[in-house]
Amino acid sequence: PARGESRARPATLRAMPWIPYVRVTLESLLSPDEMRQRLAASLTSPTLRFGDVERPRTPFYGSVSPDGFTAWKVIRYRNSFVPVARGRWRVEGRATHVDLRLTLHPFVLYFMTIWISLPLFSDVVLTVAALARGHLTPVVLIPLAFAAAGYALATAGFRWEYRDTIAQLAACLDARVIWPDGAAPDPFDR
């Protein structure tokens, strides 16, 4: 690039989630009432049944309200990091826009915050103690490994699911996905 110009990064890199949080907009020609009906038919209320092997026949767990919805995918395997999609609809002209936020479940987010924070705090304590003794050893890297493992688990589990969740919600609502700044979802498509 010439002096004073910046080299623009590809749009795909701007949207890559380094934290488990994604915001997109869904645009549909359906009315909010039609969206509520379609979502209500695609959602089942989450129930806690131990030992129940029968999975619901709907693609999502969740609920619908007059203002929006909360939904997360029904999966056939274990993944605590499945995104929780919270959508709010608004009408603009003939189209209905759904402002969609995908995040971790609040309990999972709280648990992972503790998992990552405690090793980082203990690493600071170990490093200060080692520096006070004048002998820094590789042992201070062990808590960092635990924090990195927690981060990798949460981010990878979320990444594995968020594109499918958005695609299934868009298909259910007969909508197109509008990514922020025209960015594509993730360069690491599976």
Side-chain angles (χ1 to χ4, degrees), residues 42-177:
S42 297
L43 295 173
T44 192
S45 180
T47 57
L48 185 62
R49 295 182 189 165
F50 295 103
D52 188 10
V53 294
E54 183 71 25
R55 300 281 187 202
R57 300 196 193 289
T58 59
F60 296 102
Y61 291 115
S63 62
V64 180
S65 72
D67 298 332
F69 63 92
T70 301
W72 60 96
K73 276 179 41 177
V74 173
I75 57 174
R76 309 280 186 243
Y77 48 88
R78 303 282 182 199
N79 183 354
S80 297
F81 307 108
V82 171
V84 176
R86 290 180 179 84
R88 297 278 179 228
W89 28 70
R90 57 185 163 79
V91 178
E92 288 185 9
R94 293 186 0 215
T96 302
H97 292 251
V98 178
D99 296 320
L100 194 61
R101 290 182 313 131
L102 286 88
T103 61
L104 290 174
H105 188 279
F107 178 76
V108 174
L109 185 60
Y110 175 75
F111 179 82
M112 293 311 297
T113 300
I114 290 173
W115 178 339
I116 293 169
S117 298
L118 288 177
L120 291 177
F121 176 74
S122 66
D123 188 60
V124 169
V125 171
L126 282 172
T127 303
V128 168
L131 289 174
R133 284 182 290 149
H135 186 64
L136 192 61
T137 65
V139 171
V140 298
L141 297 176
I142 292 173
L144 289 179
F146 279 101
Y151 171 78
L153 281 172
T155 304
F158 184 85
R159 273 189 182 178
W160 184 260
E161 297 291 343
Y162 85 93
R163 290 176 298 250
D164 291 338
T165 301
I166 292 170
Q168 285 184 4
L169 283 170
C172 173
L173 298 175
D174 195 22
R176 74 180 183 102
V177 179

